[in-house]
Amino acid sequence: MASTPEVIPEVDSDAFIPFMRKVARCEDSLRELRLTWRLIESSARMNCPEEAHSILPMMAATREGFQRLEADLVRSLVAESLGEVMREIGTQARHVIDILVRNLYERTADVGFLATDPVLCRLAAGLDADADAVRARLRQYQSKYTVYDDILVLDPQGRVLAQIDAAAPVPESRDPLIAQTLRSKAHVETFRASDLRPGRRHALIYSQRLLHPATGEPVGVLCLSFALDDELQGIFAARGANDGRSLVLLVDAAQQVLASSDPLWLPPGQTVPANHGGAPRLWTHSGRTYLVQTLSAAGYQGYPGPPGWKGQVMVPVELAFQPRASSGAAALPPAVIQGLLGHARQFCPPLHDIVTAADTIRRVVWNGQVMTAGQREGVQCLAAVLEQISETGARTNEVFSHSIRDLCNTVLSAALRDGEFLSQLLVDLLDRNLYERANDCRWWALTPELRTLLADVQLDIADAAERLRANAILEQINSLYTVYSRLVVYDTRGRIVAASHALLADGSSAIGQSVDADALAAVLALRGPQAYHASPWRASALSDGAPTYVFHAAIRAPDGSHTVGGIGIVFNAATELPAMLDGAGQDGARNCTVFTDRSGRVLAASTAQAGLHIPAGSRLALPASMLQLAPGQSEARAMEYAGHYCIVGCAVTQGYREFRADGHGPDALLALSFTSFGAVHADAADAVLRRATQVPGDSGASASGQESGREMATFFIDARPFALDAGCVLEALPASAITPVSAGRLPYCLGTLARHAQGQVTGYAWVFDLGHVLRGTPSAITAQSQVIVIDAGGRRIGLLVSDLLGVQHFAARRFAAAPQLHGTDPALIGAIIQAQRADGRPLLLQCLDVQALMQLLQSSAARQRQSGTAAPLAEAALA
């Protein structure tokens, strides 16, 4: 499931820290702590070198480890904060160019199909001189495909035969695109200033030659002028470019700005720096320093987009790291954050390394406290040093915990924004896609041959030639618009009289069958050529049994007096929706994207499943508030879903241009992105409780001689605190160092652990699962698990525990005998310590009786020996 983590390049931290307030504050705190550790060590060396000789190596190790961790933590905070910004602006830049290219791809299909319109071809060929009728037809087209600001028909000499933009009339043109289009069988895409669009700085024109209906010779040129500036402002607004923090741009191959989200800040026509590789470095333009991301289009269906066009985002460095509205990471349940930290190795290796290093320093401090247990009653200066070690260790843990939480929040905030951006992109793509489907059905309903056929069918005078011609028209359309499974034309009784891909999955023909009664009723009730109807999401024979939408429009008689039938276009959702999800997805090994309805029913899912199984047709168990977001709204949350820690981004369709979710079109749909960070850790909640538990001892009273007591090494089993007499504890080691045994195991025995001194192995200890002994079930070894090595009457064994707590002096008055239960095994808990948490709340610590534990292990070994399964070597450790 895990994917290769993104490698963040080395950056010059010093160049960015002045702009990162939180990192600067963290650096100051870490520097202060480092100096404190150095002062404590120096004080011990100068004032009590003999008394402190046993703890000086621990202090040196702590200082060195802290120094390494300080540098790693600051560097990682800078890298992740910078990476968060770079990923965010990179996502914005990619979405800008990808959405635009997908839109322009539809234009290439439009111009190719409209150029076959017989009304336009007859005008260009001189077979029909009614230019007003052609203009009326072109206006009908524009009223459906509203992305065009002008449509023109020209003859080969450049004379304009028909035009719809009366505000910018063009009698003739000398643009070279006319000759180029007449020579080309394919469409021609032109972007520059053109006399076809007078007064414009540039125009994006899609042109296709018109052919003579009889001879097939080129007789004219059709030009569709795309409203580029209008479209880009809509894309900029949807991409959050109105926050005043950044600039979103469309640039050409020469890095000249074609369109800007803020023309007053950076107007079109300027040349800006490019950052194609996404390097996290500073770029200067017009005296201001920016972070920049420049992304080329990925292409769509083989269409690369206009040559050299790129999306670019520029954010001033002084604004890039300013605090923003909470992304939700800071409000996550602590157990979710703790569980995510357990998977940091997969999604953020620096975070994993820092958590591991911080745990190592905590263990070193704990071991140092164990080494000095009993010395607090000694020389006053050593007692003061030990007091400083305890206080500074607590402060160090607090700073580490806060810094690690900040780093984790930074990583998660980036993931939350990525998830929300991805879901927003998907609803943008879906809205635009369905907009095109609504346009298509309404335009094709105006096809003269189809109107004549249905009028004749109504009068029972349609002949076979008309039906064949209608079938051919539908086949031709379907060959150009492959997003449809089939197209059907039906009469006022709902009976299908013509179809493309007429052979259904069951082997029967669509022709002669009937459309759904509710669809027919809705179509017959439509008023005007702008109205359409989209069926509910469902399967039907026309969709070969696959659930989808069927878009319908009414076909009216040639004179427009009444409805003579309808056209139904069957969206190939089973192919198109997953392709849309896959094409927009990122980091496929960890991401899964889906489209759903309001109930959470999955309409389509991406191929990648991120370790989650989300089949089409299933229902997602998501919070109701997420499924009921208002149209156009979006959010992202971190949550546990299907046994995974997931970032879930959600966005709701709101429509595109005049296409909106209403009574005729599909209801609002949702796009959801799931990013899996790994399986849920059962121990996460306990780990949160452990790290939140702080137990101050009574060291001050003891040191002043006012009250006797005992030094106790405290630790956790699950979330319950326990204590051992510190005098029998040798050290704590990471549980990851356990070497498992393969055969002849003793009860509760996990394996062996090597002990080291001055880099050399000094011996081995058998490790027993203390949690298994106490609760009766084996313990799961986690990243926080530790092994406490004890000396019990000369026998040295390791005890697996869930985590370390501290080494504290507790006054004698806090100890009470533990209640005993009658049984054959000795009581493992000999006493109870009545302690207090750091916040003053009472806390009971259970004191483990080491001798009773050894007796229990020995008796368990004896029983297993009688069964003949004990390993002699392992058993010898308890003898």
Side-chain angles (χ1 to χ4, degrees), residues 117 119 132-141 443 446-448:
D117 190 294
V119 176
D132 290 339
V134 172
R135 277 191 290 271
R137 183 159 176 78
L138 294 179
R139 289 195 180 98
Q140 286 180 322
Y141 187 86
W443 174 246
L446 299 178
T447 304

Side-chain angles (χ1 to χ4, degrees), residues 335-346:
V336 174
I337 293 181
Q338 182 62 43
L340 286 165
L341 285 174
H343 295 288
R345 184 192 297 271
Q346 283 74 39

Side-chain angles (χ1 to χ4, degrees), residues 332-342 408 412 638-640 645-646 684-685 688:
L332 289 179
V336 174
I337 293 181
Q338 182 62 43
L340 286 165
L341 285 174
C408 185
L412 293 179
M639 63 176 71
E640 294 180 14
Y645 294 113
C646 290
V688 170

